[in-house]
Amino acid sequence: MKKAIFPGSFDPITNGHYDIIKRGISLFDEVIVAIGINAEKKYMFSLEERKRFIEETFKDEPKVRVITYTGLTIDLCAKENAQFILRGLRNPADFEFEKAIAHTNRMLSKIETVFLLTAASTSYISSSIVRDVLRNGGDITNLVPKVVAKKK
């Protein structure tokens, strides 16, 4: 069984994340969306809200499971018997950042990272942009799954 961990803070999940997860489903038997917990980070949405957003978005997709975790992603991969880390790339800066992490993960654990380029239609979306739009009273309907847009 080919399992992939798709790690992130998902604060909140965006249509870009949605696209990567949907495409990952066609590549893997299971995609585990892993919400990382970082005590030093200030989140807009609670952990419970972020988890619920993803679970509701993929409620009809049995190949997607949502969990939370602390610590190293490679340790989570070992615990979940996942052979792959799934990551989305929007731009060259994402690639450079993710490449360094992927090399480190492979050196530490032999885990493979699979990169998917985001769809052109979602390549400009980031959680930080969504949060900024929300903070300023803007419409996020076209940036996030419906369950998140309703939360507004």
Side-chain angles (χ1 to χ4, degrees):
M1 178 181 228
K2 290 189 292 188
K3 285 187 195 180
I5 300 282
F6 184 42
S9 59
F10 305 101
D11 186 33
I13 184 174
T14 69
N15 286 340
H17 295 128
Y18 177 86
D19 173 62
I20 296 296
I21 295 166
K22 285 299 278 185
R23 290 168 47 215
I25 290 167
S26 68
L27 300 172
F28 302 103
D29 299 308
E30 182 177 29
V31 174
I32 302 168
V33 181
I35 305 169
I37 302 167
N38 182 342
E40 296 177 19
K41 225 175 174 187
K42 178 114 172 89
Y43 298 106
M44 177 174 273
F45 296 95
S46 72
L47 180 62
E48 295 75 24
E49 285 177 305
R50 291 179 279 145
K51 189 170 191 263
R52 184 179 54 80
F53 290 156
I54 301 166
E55 287 172 339
E56 286 186 30
T57 299
F58 291 97
K59 67 179 183 259
D60 297 323
E61 182 47 68
K63 292 173 75 173
V64 174
R65 184 162 50 102
V66 185
I67 63 172
T68 62
Y69 77 106
T70 57
L72 296 175
T73 303
I74 58 170
D75 292 339
L76 178 65
C77 289
K79 178 183 170 197
E80 294 289 339
N81 295 313
Q83 305 87 0
F84 304 94
I85 295 173
L86 177 62
R87 298 298 294 161
L89 299 175
R90 293 172 297 183
N91 54 48
D94 278 358
F95 174 73
E96 289 301 324
F97 177 75
E98 294 291 345
K99 179 178 74 167
I101 294 170
H103 284 312
T104 303
N105 286 340
R106 194 170 358 147
M107 188 254 321
L108 293 173
S109 69
K110 307 300 182 225
I111 194 88
E112 287 293 339
T113 300
V114 175
F115 296 111
L116 294 180
L117 296 177
T118 56
S121 62
T122 62
S123 65
Y124 66 96
I125 303 171
S126 70
S127 292
S128 57
I129 287 173
V130 170
R131 290 191 305 271
D132 213 34
V133 171
L134 270 174
R135 268 191 222 88
N136 290 288
D139 182 7
I140 60 168
T141 304
N142 294 320
L143 304 174
V144 297
K146 289 177 187 164
V147 66
V148 180
K150 286 179 190 172
K151 170 68 177 171
K152 183 185 121 161

